[in-house]
Amino acid sequence: MAKRDARTLTRERIVETAVRIGDSESLDTLTVRRLAGELGVGAMTLYSYFRNKEEILDAMADHVLGGMEVPPAETDDPIDLLVGCGRAFRAMMLVHPCVVRLLSTRVTDSIDALDGAMEAVLDRLESAGLKGADATRAYGVLITYALGFSGYQTPRTWGDDPEGRRQRHHFYAGLPADRFPSTVRLAPELPTLASSEQFEFGLRLIAEGLAAAKH
């Protein structure tokens, strides 16, 4: 790869490249040396922007969270508003799979991150009639549900793939029926556990429960 003029480098470009590597591969393959090579500069050049990989990971989390968007509300129905917030978290994690691990390992105090992934959501939750502790608890339930589901789905690629579901169905159906009677009986349905339909099913139940529990 041809070396690029280091003077064209910016923190934003470094972070965007790091996010791209993290999303397309994994955070394990993201090293300072690998990142520098992708940018066409020496590894030492990056240390003039970030002191270490940990700072790069923090900046990645800030970048992704800061870019989260809560779509405009199309209704004032509390359940629909709650569902919309849950979908916004899920959409962010689908576009940027690396954020699942970043959120599980880091805490951010970035103004941009708090604005995109917290303030906007809390504002929407309050508009749904959730106030005080109700709004904060709802926020916690929605983000952790989206985070947990995304982490569960990531290695289970068959969820939204018909052929993958068929193969997984055969796997469950082929287990010893005397030891796994329920699993074998439910084999046609079990592959959907990692599907978008399952996420929507759980999200709707959560939204209905939160809306009903508000004070």
Side-chain angles (χ1 to χ4, degrees):
M1 179 181 294
K3 294 287 184 181
R4 297 172 181 166
D5 186 345
R7 289 174 298 180
T8 66
L9 211 57
T10 63
R11 282 178 63 92
E12 182 178 7
R13 185 170 148 225
I14 294 170
V15 172
E16 288 176 347
T17 303
V19 168
R20 177 167 53 78
I21 294 172
D23 286 339
S24 61
E25 299 175 27
S26 75
L27 294 183
D28 292 329
T29 64
L30 178 63
T31 63
V32 173
R33 184 179 297 276
R34 167 69 195 288
L35 182 56
E38 193 75 16
L39 290 163
V41 300
M44 292 305 297
T45 301
L46 297 188
Y47 290 116
S48 62
Y49 294 87
F50 299 94
R51 289 179 295 180
N52 48 46
K53 180 181 175 180
E54 293 302 302
E55 283 196 353
I56 295 174
L57 292 174
D58 287 339
M60 290 169 64
D62 295 345
H63 176 79
V64 174
L65 293 170
M68 176 175 157
E69 295 184 359
V70 180
E74 298 180 353
T75 174
D76 58 0
D77 180 82
I79 294 175
D80 289 340
L81 293 174
L82 285 158
V83 167
C85 290
R87 286 174 177 167
F89 281 127
R90 177 74 177 128
M92 173 185 65
M93 295 172 193
L94 284 173
V95 173
H96 296 295
C98 69
V99 80
V100 174
R101 185 166 170 188
L102 290 171
L103 278 173
S104 301
T105 58
R106 332 201 69 72
V107 176
T108 178
D109 292 324
S110 160
I111 297 299
D112 289 339
L114 292 174
D115 186 30
M118 181 171 282
E119 176 61 25
V121 179
L122 290 173
D123 177 69
R124 183 63 55 81
L125 293 175
E126 289 194 311
S127 74
L130 297 161
K131 305 296 181 183
D134 287 340
T136 57
R137 288 170 181 161
Y139 178 92
V141 170
L142 291 172
I143 191 172
T144 53
Y145 173 62
L147 185 62
F149 186 88
S150 297
Y152 176 80
Q153 187 188 48
T154 297
R156 296 167 176 82
T157 56
W158 59 80
D160 290 323
D161 172 38
E163 177 60 22
R165 285 194 194 185
R166 185 186 67 79
Q167 293 178 7
R168 199 64 185 173
H169 170 195
H170 288 316
F171 167 77
Y172 291 129
L175 292 171
D178 57 338
R179 185 173 180 181
F180 299 96
S182 294
T183 302
V184 171
R185 185 167 55 254
L186 298 173
E189 301 299 328
L190 288 172
T192 67
L193 289 176
S195 68
S196 296
E197 302 101 281
Q198 176 67 26
F199 176 78
E200 288 290 324
F201 173 77
L203 179 59
R204 178 65 59 171
L205 288 180
I206 288 171
E208 290 173 352
L210 290 171
K214 68 180 181 177
H215 296 113

